[in-house]
């Protein structure tokens, strides 16, 4: 397994995705490093998770100082959706998930797997516990609980990603004349907390999600110690089966857009067409492009 | 950095597991994408970390595997001595490797499952001839008994090291799959691994097959 020592924070102008810890993180730095030099032109959407056991007890698999980074990226930046899943283990030297200010206490990141997303099934396993279920076609199953240091908005991004991987985007055209309006991490204006128009969000996004994203923008910051490096991303054949269950929206103030069980057989999902359009009218919506992740992650 | 390639079911993941963890798993999940392993070895008195990329052997994953050849300093090209077709496909794998990797990449041809002598379908001489014809190093191994597994990985590292000494590899370019460590060592990776071992643990069981 390959590891890299994290670097001290670099002062730049990080986007909201960087602030939230989902862009330009440790995993991104590792795979873009000369050692790997993988997907170097693609942005990486990543988060820290705790691996837990099967449903029922949700016991941590590893000791407290070990987390798992789950990330998605694209083998080719111009693809409309991510097509690669990355998994890495992180050992934090001084307590859990500490921020670091010098290389001496930097976490050690160990890349463990690179998986084509089309051979992976992502599910929202437990909405309240913020647990993802990652299942490969070989029936290897991981239960991953989003790290508590991530704001709620980050899990909303994962929910959104799961939906996108299942349904595709309403616009996947390569025509540059068409303004692309989707983003995962909304970009804030320079002067205020103004958020992007709702049209910039995915069609399935609900107002509550937008509120969550806005809230996250205002509360993020614990991840800003990771260097910013805006890049491109996306993917084509993200034919992933998704199931969202245990979504008890009545018990959470943050309603999920589609709290329904979406059980799609993996093989069926593999045949999903990325070119289908949910709402062709969206072609004519125009909105400012979002963060580096948003503008490139989901569109050319 | 090493890459392990070859048809599905020839024992690539088992070779890696035997090398990094010194254990054999009779039933192993089909590899999809790439899985990573690493181990420290001692070559010519220098601590070297071998970072190993275990790839999927299935034809449907072939195009994915091709994208990972770049940057490999060494490759283990594996076939199953009990399955003739895995030997027949070597040319195709070799073409892929040569086409998508550095011309200096060291390739070790491995005939795995040497413990299954009674089911042998490819003679050792055939493997030797193929290796000779294509300029490869050749060994027969058994991931099950660990026979020659150490030697296969370490001999490949030695050959890479020899090429480095000859100046054939630019060790200052990490894209070549080689990285010089913080001290004197020549490493194929950075940082320690959960499965790493000291060089003193590396035994010698050459000639067991």
């Amino acid at each position: 397994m390959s590891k890299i020592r994290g670097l001290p924070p670099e002062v730049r102008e990080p986007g909201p995705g960087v602030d939230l810890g989902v862009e330009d993180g440790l995993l991104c730095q590792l795979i873009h490093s000369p050692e790997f030099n993988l997907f170097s032109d693609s942005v990486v959407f990543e988060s820290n998770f705790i691996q837990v056991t099967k449903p029922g007890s949700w016991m941590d698999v590893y000791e407290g100082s070990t987390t798992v980074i789950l990330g998605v990226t694209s083998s080719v930046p111009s693809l409309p959706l991510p097509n690669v899943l990355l998994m890495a283990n992180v050992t934090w030297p001084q307590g859990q998930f500490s921020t670091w200010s010098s290389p001496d206490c930097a976490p050690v990141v160990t890349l463990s797997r690179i998986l084509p997303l089309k051979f992976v099934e992502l599910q929202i396993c437990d909405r309240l516990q913020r647990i993802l279920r990652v299942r490969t076609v070989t029936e290897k199953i991981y239960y991953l609980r989003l790290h508590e240091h991530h704001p709620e908005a980050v899990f909303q991004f994962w929910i959104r990603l799961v939906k996108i991987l299942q349904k595709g985007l309403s616009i996947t055209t390569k025509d540059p004349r068409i303004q692309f309006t989707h983003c995962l991490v909304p970009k804030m204006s320079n002067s205020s907390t103004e958020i992007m128009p709702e049209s910039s969000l995915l069609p399935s996004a609900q107002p509550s999600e937008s509120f969550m994203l806005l809230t996250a923008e205002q509360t993020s910051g614990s991840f800003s110690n990771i260097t910013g490096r805006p890049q491109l991303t996306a993917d084509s054949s993200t034919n992933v089966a998704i199931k969202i269950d245990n979504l008890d929206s009545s018990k959470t103030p943050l309603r999920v857009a589609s709290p329904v069980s979406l059980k799609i057989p993996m093989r069926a999902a593999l045949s999903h067409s990325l070119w289908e359009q949910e709402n062709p009218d969206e072609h004519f919506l125009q909105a400012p492009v979002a963060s580096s992740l948003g503008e490139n992650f989901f569109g050319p | 950095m090493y890459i392990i390639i070859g048809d599905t079911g020839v024992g690539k993941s088992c070779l890696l597991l035997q090398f990094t963890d010194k254990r054999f798993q009779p039933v192993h999940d089909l590899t999809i994408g790439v899985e990573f392993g690493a181990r420290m070895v001692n070559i010519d008195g220098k601590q070297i970390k071998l970072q190993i990329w275990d790839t999927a052997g299935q034809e449907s994953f072939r195009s994915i595997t091709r994208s990972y050849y770049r940057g490999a300093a060494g490759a283990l090209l594996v076939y199953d001595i009990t399955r003739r077709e895995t030997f027949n496909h070597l040319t195709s794998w070799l073409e892929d490797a040569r086409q998508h990797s550095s011309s200096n990449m060291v390739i070790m041809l491995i005939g795995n499952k040497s413990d299954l002598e009674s089911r042998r379908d490819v003679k050792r001489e055939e493997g030797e001839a193929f290796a000779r014809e294509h300029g490869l190093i050749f060994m027969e191994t058994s991931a099950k008994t660990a026979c020659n597994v150490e030697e296969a990985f370490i001999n490949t590292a030695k050959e890479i090291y020899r090429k480095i000494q000859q100046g054939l590899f630019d060790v200052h370019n990490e894209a070549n799959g080689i990285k010089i460590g913080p001290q004197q060592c020549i490493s194929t990776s950075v940082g320690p691994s959960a499965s790493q071992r000291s060089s003193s643990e590396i035994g010698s069981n050459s000639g067991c097959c």
Side-chain angles (χ1 to χ4, degrees), chain B residues 134-148:
Chain B
H134 294 90
L136 316 176
I137 316 169
F138 175 69
M139 296 192 86
E140 287 196 346
T141 63
S142 168
K144 184 176 183 179
T145 67
C147 175
N148 273 346

Side-chain angles (χ1 to χ4, degrees), chain A residues 1-5 30 33-39 84 108 110-116 118-120 136-140, chain B residues 29-38 49 51 53 60-61 64 67-68 70 174-175 179 188-195:
Chain A
M1 278 166 250
S2 179
K3 302 175 180 181
I4 190 172
R5 293 255 170 207
L30 178 63
S33 67
E35 180 191 359
F36 283 95
N37 193 26
L38 288 170
F39 320 123
V84 175
V108 177
T110 306
L111 186 62
S112 56
R113 301 190 81 177
I114 297 178
L115 300 166
K118 62 182 177 180
F119 300 124
V120 177
T136 70
V137 289
T138 56
E139 294 298 328
K140 180 80 175 176
Chain B
D29 287 344
L30 192 70
T31 303
I32 53 174
V34 179
E35 298 188 12
F36 297 88
K49 180 179 177 182
Q51 181 200 116
W53 295 33
S60 56
F61 302 141
I64 298 163
S67 60
Y68 300 112
R70 179 174 50 94
E174 292 180 34
K179 182 179 180 182
T188 56
S189 181
V190 289
S193 159
S195 58

Side-chain angles (χ1 to χ4, degrees), chain A residues 74-92:
Chain A
S74 172
S75 57
V76 179
S78 58
L79 296 174
L81 290 173
N83 65 342
V84 175
L85 182 75
L86 305 160
M87 298 184 77
N89 296 320
V90 188
T91 301
W92 300 86

Side-chain angles (χ1 to χ4, degrees), chain A residues 132-150:
Chain A
L132 280 181
R133 181 176 183 265
V134 180
R135 173 182 161 225
T136 70
V137 289
T138 56
E139 294 298 328
K140 180 80 175 176
I141 297 175
Y142 304 88
Y143 295 96
L144 301 170
R145 183 177 64 222
L146 187 67
H147 199 283
E148 60 188 15
H149 282 70
H150 281 296

Side-chain angles (χ1 to χ4, degrees), chain B residues 78-91:
Chain B
V78 187
Y79 69 94
D80 178 351
I81 68 161
T82 71
R83 287 164 57 211
R84 166 69 57 177
E85 71 273 17
T86 66
F87 182 78
N88 295 340
H89 295 156
L90 288 177
T91 304

Side-chain angles (χ1 to χ4, degrees), chain A residues 140-201:
Chain A
K140 180 80 175 176
I141 297 175
Y142 304 88
Y143 295 96
L144 301 170
R145 183 177 64 222
L146 187 67
H147 199 283
E148 60 188 15
H149 282 70
H150 281 296
E152 179 62 22
V154 172
F155 198 69
Q156 293 290 329
F157 292 145
W158 282 99
I159 292 173
R160 176 169 296 179
L161 177 66
V162 165
K163 291 178 190 170
I164 291 169
L165 292 179
Q166 178 210 357
K167 296 181 178 179
L169 293 168
S170 60
I171 299 175
T172 53
T173 179
K174 301 287 185 183
D175 188 342
R177 293 169 300 181
I178 297 176
Q179 294 290 310
F180 204 82
T181 59
H182 299 306
C183 68
L184 194 61
V185 184
K187 185 178 184 178
M188 305 302 295
S189 67
N190 291 333
S191 58
S192 71
T193 56
E194 180 184 21
I195 199 166
M196 290 180 61
E198 183 65 16
S199 60
S200 69
L201 301 173

